[in-house]
Amino acid sequence: MTPLAHILEHKVVAIVRGANPADLLKIARAVEAGGVRMMEVTLNSPGALASIEEVSRAMEGRLLVGAGTVLDPESARAALLAGAKYIISPTLNKKTIRMTKRYGAVSIPGAYTATEILKAYEYGGDIIKVFPAGASGAGYFKDIAGPLPHIPLMPTGGVSLDNIKGFAEAGAKAFGLGSSLVDTKQAVTDEYLAQLTEKARAFVAAVAKG
């Protein structure tokens, strides 16, 4: 299965921002145990590239690891060389998309308006991250998806257990989940990891029902 097909099939991407590098593998194993099959490590996290390399190697075949908050092509290249299989950005950068595609990886640029979303797709984005999705909710998402049904969209920012079904019903093809799933401000104890697995399981179930 290609990385793109993997993302479109499993849908839920756990976003890990600012975690202690020593905890990344524990977090990865916890979300994977709950049925989540993708994890994004943001590049503004400490030791992000080393973490991507470590988790990619340890979880190969079980968890597809990508890089997030990628703002330029140089950062995309570094992440891809570290083992990232997809590149996610909060913004639209044509050169970053081109670099990602040059390495045969999945490009998920960020956009918000209909014009930005169409440009991101025309530039080569495989899935377009609609960000921040929670600001306007599933209603806005449905309005955007209506005239652009051929573009796979991934709501990110403000997606929660309370609204994820609405986004799914509005046509979302994948979902980026940050602190609503992985709260990196909490201490990573055994209890936290068990709760993380349960939250992951709940999100996966909600998407399946949607």
Side-chain angles (χ1 to χ4, degrees), residues 108-121:
I108 309 178
Y112 190 71
T113 67
T115 298
E116 290 172 343
I117 290 167
L118 182 58
K119 279 186 178 179
Y121 189 68

Side-chain angles (χ1 to χ4, degrees), residues 43 67 70-81 84 87 96 99-100:
L43 290 192
V70 182
L71 304 179
D72 54 70
E74 293 79 14
S75 297
R77 182 176 183 274
L80 293 166
L81 292 175
I87 297 295
T96 299
M99 178 65 74
T100 303

Side-chain angles (χ1 to χ4, degrees), residues 89-93 108-121 127-145 147-148 151 153-158 167:
S89 303
T91 53
L92 174 57
N93 184 302
I108 309 178
Y112 190 71
T113 67
T115 298
E116 290 172 343
I117 290 167
L118 182 58
K119 279 186 178 179
Y121 189 68
I127 300 170
I128 310 306
K129 168 182 169 177
V130 181
F131 174 81
S136 300
Y140 173 78
F141 191 87
K142 184 177 181 180
D143 291 341
I144 287 291
L148 302 172
I151 302 179
L153 302 177
M154 183 177 85
T156 305
F167 283 112

Side-chain angles (χ1 to χ4, degrees), residues 129-197:
K129 168 182 169 177
V130 181
F131 174 81
S136 300
Y140 173 78
F141 191 87
K142 184 177 181 180
D143 291 341
I144 287 291
L148 302 172
H150 59 295
I151 302 179
L153 302 177
M154 183 177 85
T156 305
V159 180
S160 67
L161 273 173
D162 293 330
N163 63 23
I164 194 168
K165 185 177 179 181
F167 283 112
E169 290 173 345
K173 301 301 181 185
F175 307 87
L177 305 176
S179 58
S180 61
L181 175 57
V182 184
D183 184 358
T184 55
K185 294 180 181 179
Q186 294 188 42
V188 180
T189 61
D190 288 344
E191 181 182 3
Y192 168 84
L193 293 170
Q195 292 173 350
L196 179 54
T197 295

